[in-house]
Amino acid sequence: MTTKQTASGRKSADTMPGVQDAIAMLTEEHREVSDMFEQFEQLGDRAKVAKAKLVEKICTALIVHTAIEEEIFYPAVREALKDGEDMVDEAVVEHASAKDLIRQLQEMNPDEDLYDAKVKVLGEQIDHHVEEEEKEMFPKARKSGLDLNELGAEMAQRKQELLATM
């Protein structure tokens, strides 16, 4: 198997079996996080331990997801699309808002005031962000000629690196 240098300077395999293209990977992660938010909504008021564990999973998933988008996917989209600048800038600002809520949630206990409300608002922000990405950014990225398989391989590698540190 041959390797080549990717945009970020990491080496990646030309063909890696089982690697999803970048958009398929991100879309799958969107579904997983959405499912976790739905699970949270189903938990009762007394399920404090379950809520804390689920919010920890949600936060970890979102931290990793936003990192691979900001480090790898967004720069590629910004470069490939003429009108990508504004779209990527808006996505980065949405990430910053979500990261702020994530930080707040990581410092809270499920029995504190506003905990459930912050999880709900985070879920709503993520739903809005996902809808924009999937309806606007992803279709344009798919048509742009980006090597989505190469990006997907690079993103999968980075995801593993990030998860290993958490």
Side-chain angles (χ1 to χ4, degrees), residues 119-137:
V119 174
K120 184 169 184 63
V121 169
L122 178 62
E124 290 169 351
Q125 287 181 348
I126 298 302
D127 283 347
H128 168 80
H129 177 75
V130 163
E131 185 175 335
E132 285 187 342
E133 279 188 344
E134 292 183 2
K135 286 189 165 71
E136 296 172 33
M137 185 184 294

Side-chain angles (χ1 to χ4, degrees), residues 137-166:
M137 185 184 294
F138 290 179
K140 289 179 179 181
R142 210 170 267 297
K143 292 177 186 171
S144 73
L146 278 171
D147 185 340
L148 296 173
N149 290 325
E150 178 185 326
L151 275 177
E154 189 175 351
M155 289 164 47
Q157 177 184 341
R158 181 64 179 136
K159 180 178 180 177
Q160 292 309 309
E161 291 169 358
L162 291 166
L163 288 171
T165 66
M166 300 184 106

Side-chain angles (χ1 to χ4, degrees), residues 22-36:
I23 293 173
M25 176 183 176
L26 295 174
T27 301
E28 182 178 296
E29 290 176 0
H30 290 165
R31 296 300 162 269
E32 290 168 0
V33 169
S34 177
D35 289 348
M36 286 188 265

Side-chain angles (χ1 to χ4, degrees), residues 33-109:
V33 169
S34 177
D35 289 348
M36 286 188 265
F37 278 113
E38 285 180 26
Q39 289 171 30
F40 184 90
E41 288 293 320
Q42 302 304 315
L43 294 173
D45 288 338
R46 296 188 335 204
K48 305 296 185 195
V49 173
K51 283 183 175 184
K53 287 181 181 178
L54 193 52
V55 167
E56 184 179 327
K57 283 177 60 175
I58 290 169
C59 290
T60 298
L62 290 173
I63 289 165
V64 171
H65 181 84
T66 58
I68 63 175
E69 281 187 331
E70 290 175 9
E71 292 174 17
I72 300 167
F73 188 71
Y74 290 170
V77 169
R78 188 183 300 272
E79 189 175 311
L81 298 177
K82 289 180 183 141
D83 64 344
E85 193 80 22
D86 289 342
M87 194 173 14
V88 171
D89 288 348
E90 183 180 337
V92 170
V93 170
E94 290 172 350
H95 278 189
S97 178
K99 288 177 190 177
D100 183 50
L101 273 175
I102 290 167
R103 269 191 296 281
Q104 291 177 44
L105 285 165
Q106 289 176 319
E107 295 171 1
M108 295 179 78
N109 293 313

